[in-house]
């Protein structure tokens, strides 16, 4: 007999069968295309040894103590100028708040805006982890048509007109998770023109934008924002080390202020020591050069995966060819279930995430997401070969 | 014009005038009795240098990578056996979840149990930071009579009978924040006898229990728990370093499982590097010996503060004499406002937290909380002298 009663919202949190299946990916024998893990061999461990020794020597008592909710000011200054340089924003340190991973920003932004039954508009498909953050606040999801160029502005406008309870739009315009697609410049401009006409806030999630293999980084949605409607999220997880759990949010005015209340209530502040470490790393070393090394490796791995898919997947299977980021998106023939294929793949010691979970309102069970950042080239080739075999078995 | 609409719950988060006043405590000239900050001169900085170098050398790629939501298994094992030894629990590593500070546990436990208008029962007064975590879920607070021995069981039973929407009881039985009081053994037993008869969960918050100056550590409420109704919270913030943001939750079964969903949605997991560091510290060094050094310093400072209060405060002012922890609680004559006294003290460069904020339903403006862990002896003596002067000025 239970001696307690859970809140209603807990109905939105259920054990996932996929999570259970993917627990097997902890087995080092498994070739995993499932997670979004950076390549650990690129972590700057030797540099970190030097950085940490310096931080403890120079700032030990401060770096181990409680600190302010908003975060370490020198780090916030560096982030603001970096964002302005890369994404054409006009941010100051007072617009930057340090968060415990971008996951925390997603959770607290939903807490700030979403009452039971409010609508979140999103790309279709969209990031699974964002949905699990938002689910705690009982939103309804409206998937907005998204093509190869990004969210379709006419579809967005139509949804905003129709959905009186629309509160927020959640988008990942750069190397989207799960599809790997990037919005064009023209689509960004058109999106923001629509947004400007409505009482709505935009959560622009950009964990992968810097990991661009070719071409130029397009301006952020935030760079078109004249009314403080866009909250832009960035993170060190993909360009430095995810285990430090340091990310940031860019916002103005009342949103920034209210976010700090929520963050204080959620975890007081993000780890002080991690903040000092990243700040010191950025002073002692060239983060851009480090990102350059990551890009070289991921670009190679992406190329190898695409080449292997060309060779191994049947012609009825399509996939995106990303220009950056961590993922490619595979569409199987309509009658094939990616969950079934996954079961076969697990037997062959290969794993991926079935795509259905990325559609908040279900369907699209014939899709899947592949990560190429975490496996070395020879395992990518081997894994895609096994995936191809599994798909062919199911097509028979 | 605002271009967005906040969620209803944001009404519960307002800028606090006290927070604004206490921002002045960042001024190093201020003698601050306001925060709950550990003494930074006790942080084991030299040991940490060795620990971090070892962690990066031995476990670098794992310590900087994403990790499991529940936390680093060796650390969870150490915590379980430590809790069993100190607090007479019967926990295993599977009952321990690593959290980003205990603040995160408070936030996510409220998220797990509280629907709009549900009742949280608490001591009177209780911890301010817990209230701000709970406020995001719109609870109603029922303050239960609490005397020098702890929560009064008859008052608890009466409240549980009356309040049909009671969902949770939040208590700090060891060196309570803000009063510094510790529940007696008999009260713990009687409390749990009442709890056993109701469908209710208990959040037992214990950040200070190890910081005992004399006598024996009483058994935790959790040690009397036979039905999984008690969730026990512990933290490294007061016995090691708060800047690492590593704490833990002890729970069983469905509560543990649901907490892991919520934690994953909130920040994926707590910092991997911090977890490896604390685990390695506990292997390389004797944490109990470190806690012993903290106790020696805080015991001295507490004694100095109490002695100074005896000498400097007028006889109409009463205060608790703690046997451990970080705080003493001061009750002024009824017609005096601690907020007014604070304004005078700030002019004299002394700060504390007015006690009214610790009563969820208001009142008790003639109370205040003093912290003695963060200031050296001579500043404690000087600060209490200035506080005494301020009170005497207001009594005139």
């Amino acid at each position: 007999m239970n001696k307690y009663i859970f809140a209603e919202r807990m109905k939105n949190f259920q054990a996932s069968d996929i999570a259970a299946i993917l627990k097997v990916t902890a087995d080092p024998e498994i070739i995993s295309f499932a997670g979004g893990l950076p390549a650990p061999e690129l972590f700057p461990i030797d540099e970190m040894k030097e950085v940490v020794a310096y931080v403890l020597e120079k700032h030990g008592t401060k770096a181990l103590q409680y600190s302010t909710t908003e975060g370490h000011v020198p780090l916030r200054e560096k982030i603001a100028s970096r964002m302005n340089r890369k994404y054409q924003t006009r941010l100051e340190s007072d617009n930057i708040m340090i968060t415990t991973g971008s996951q925390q920003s997603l959770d607290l932004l939903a807490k700030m805006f979403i009452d039971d039954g409010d609508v979140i508009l999103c790309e279709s498909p969209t990031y699974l982890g964002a949905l699990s953050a938002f689910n705690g606040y009982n939103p309804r999801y409206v998937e907005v048509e998204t093509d190869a160029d990004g969210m379709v502005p006419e579809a967005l406008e139509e949804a905003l007109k129709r959905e009186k309870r629309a509160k927020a739009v959640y988008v990942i315009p750069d190397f989207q998770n799960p599809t790997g697609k990037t919005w064009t410049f023209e689509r960004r401009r058109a999106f923001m023109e629509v947004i400007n006409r409505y009482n709505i806030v935009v959560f622009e999630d950009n964990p992968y934008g810097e990991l661009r293999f070719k071409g130029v980084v397009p301006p952020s949605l935030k760079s078109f924002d004249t009314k403080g409607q866009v909250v832009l999220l960035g993170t060190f997880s993909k360009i430095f080390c995810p285990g430090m759990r340091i990310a940031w949010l860019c916002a103005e005015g009342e949103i920034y202020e209210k976010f700090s209340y929520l963050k204080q209530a959620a975890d007081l502040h993000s780890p002080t020591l991690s903040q000092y470490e990243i700040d010191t790393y950025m002073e002692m070393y060239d983060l851009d050069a480090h990102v350059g090394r990551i890009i070289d490796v991921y670009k190679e791995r992406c190329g190898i995966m695409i080449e292997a898919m060309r060779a191994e997947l049947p012609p009825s299977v399509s996939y995106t060819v990303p220009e950056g980021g961590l993922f490619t998106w595979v569409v199987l023939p309509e009658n094939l279930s990616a969950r079934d294929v996954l079961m076969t793949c697990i037997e062959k010691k290969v794993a991926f995430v079935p795509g259905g979970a990325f559609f908040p309102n279900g369907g699209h069970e014939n899709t899947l997401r592949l990560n190429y950042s975490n496996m070395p080239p020879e395992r990518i080739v081997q894994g895609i070969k096994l995936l191809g075999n599994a798909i062919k078995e199911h097509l028979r």
Side-chain angles (χ1 to χ4, degrees), chain A:
Chain A
M1 187 190 65
N2 280 339
K3 298 287 286 181
Y4 37 77
I5 301 155
F6 293 110
E8 279 290 317
R9 69 178 67 83
M10 295 312 293
K11 289 181 189 158
N12 302 343
F13 295 92
Q14 299 296 334
S16 144
D17 55 336
I18 296 174
I21 296 166
L22 294 179
K23 277 213 166 165
V24 302
T25 64
D27 174 357
E29 269 192 48
I30 291 267
I31 298 174
S32 177
F33 303 136
L37 274 64
E41 61 272 29
L42 296 173
F43 294 153
I45 292 175
D46 288 335
E47 294 86 337
M48 278 296 289
K49 284 183 195 163
E50 210 174 327
V51 162
V52 180
Y54 179 89
V55 166
L56 288 169
E57 181 66 32
K58 290 280 176 184
H59 309 290
T61 54
K62 285 186 178 171
L64 297 170
Q65 185 60 286
Y66 285 116
S67 55
T68 58
T69 299
E70 291 79 6
H72 188 46
V73 174
L75 179 61
R76 287 160 56 202
E77 284 168 356
K78 288 184 184 66
I79 291 170
S81 77
R82 192 176 168 85
M83 294 302 281
N84 294 343
R85 181 158 53 84
K86 296 199 180 275
Y87 297 111
Q88 304 186 28
T89 49
R90 297 159 304 278
L91 300 162
E92 298 183 19
S93 62
D94 285 352
N95 302 123
I96 308 293
M97 185 150 347
I98 304 297
T99 64
T100 310
S102 279
Q103 189 69 26
Q104 180 175 54
S105 294
L106 297 171
D107 178 26
L108 298 185
L109 286 171
K111 194 172 189 174
M112 193 186 301
F113 286 102
I114 305 302
D115 288 313
D116 278 17
D118 279 347
V119 167
I120 297 178
L121 295 95
C122 59
E123 292 160 287
S124 176
T126 189
Y127 172 48
L128 184 56
L131 300 177
S132 73
F134 301 158
N135 281 344
Y137 309 96
N138 287 316
R140 193 158 59 80
Y141 296 104
V142 171
E143 296 172 51
V144 179
E145 188 193 341
T146 311
D147 64 22
D149 291 341
M151 190 175 270
V152 176
E154 296 76 17
L156 173 66
E157 178 123 40
E158 196 272 320
L160 285 168
K161 272 188 189 149
R162 189 184 65 232
E163 300 293 343
K164 297 304 172 200
R165 295 198 56 187
K167 279 279 194 79
V169 189
Y170 171 67
V171 291
I172 312 150
D174 296 75
F175 311 125
Q176 203 240 13
N177 185 353
T179 64
K181 292 175 190 168
T182 295
W183 295 16
T184 61
F185 179 94
E186 183 45 43
R187 277 291 173 84
R188 289 166 195 252
R189 206 190 46 69
F191 173 90
M192 287 303 297
E193 275 185 16
V194 175
I195 292 298
N196 257 308
R197 291 197 292 273
Y198 291 85
N199 288 325
I200 193 120
V201 71
V202 176
F203 310 153
E204 179 183 14
D205 193 3
N206 190 355
Y208 320 107
E210 291 197 38
L211 304 178
R212 171 166 283 278
F213 307 151
K214 60 181 177 187
V216 292
V217 177
S220 59
L221 300 177
K222 181 77 184 157
S223 72
F224 296 95
D225 178 28
T226 54
K227 297 172 182 166
Q229 283 176 276
V230 179
V231 183
L232 173 57
L233 311 184
T235 178
F236 288 107
S237 288
K238 313 300 185 196
I239 59 172
F240 195 62
C241 306
M244 307 183 81
R245 311 304 303 125
I246 298 293
W248 63 88
L249 162 141
C250 314
E252 291 94 8
E254 217 179 350
I255 294 179
Y256 187 90
E257 187 187 18
K258 284 193 180 346
F259 193 93
S260 85
Y261 301 156
L262 291 180
K263 173 154 176 68
Q264 183 160 31
D267 67 0
L268 298 184
H269 61 81
S270 295
T272 323
L273 184 59
S274 300
Q275 295 183 57
Y276 271 85
E277 285 165 359
I278 295 180
D279 181 60
T280 301
Y281 177 91
M282 289 173 80
E283 286 194 358
M284 290 173 65
Y285 295 97
D286 181 351
L287 180 56
D288 282 347
H290 178 67
V291 173
R293 286 187 289 274
I294 296 174
I295 290 172
D296 289 346
V297 170
Y298 292 4
K299 182 181 177 179
E300 184 200 11
R301 291 180 182 187
C302 178
I304 288 165
M305 181 174 275
I306 297 293
E307 200 180 329
M309 291 204 291
R310 279 196 188 115
E312 303 291 347
L313 301 191
S316 57
V317 174
S318 65
Y319 44 83
T320 54
V321 179
E323 296 188 342
L326 305 184
F327 304 109
T328 177
W329 179 249
V330 179
V331 181
L332 305 175
E334 281 213 5
N335 57 329
L336 264 199
S337 155
R339 283 168 188 256
D340 293 345
V341 175
L342 176 61
M343 295 310 292
T344 305
C345 277
I346 293 285
E347 285 166 24
K348 297 179 191 289
K349 305 242 177 237
V350 177
F352 58 80
V353 183
F358 296 92
F359 294 87
N361 301 318
H364 308 268
E365 293 294 342
N366 62 321
T367 59
L368 59 99
R369 187 191 74 176
L370 297 178
N371 165 268
Y372 48 74
S373 61
N374 191 243
M375 287 286 127
E378 64 281 7
R379 302 194 81 193
I380 292 176
V381 172
Q382 176 66 8
I384 294 295
K385 191 182 175 75
L386 294 168
L387 170 65
N389 291 345
I391 292 171
K392 286 169 198 160
E393 285 173 32
H394 280 270
L395 279 174
R396 263 178 227 131

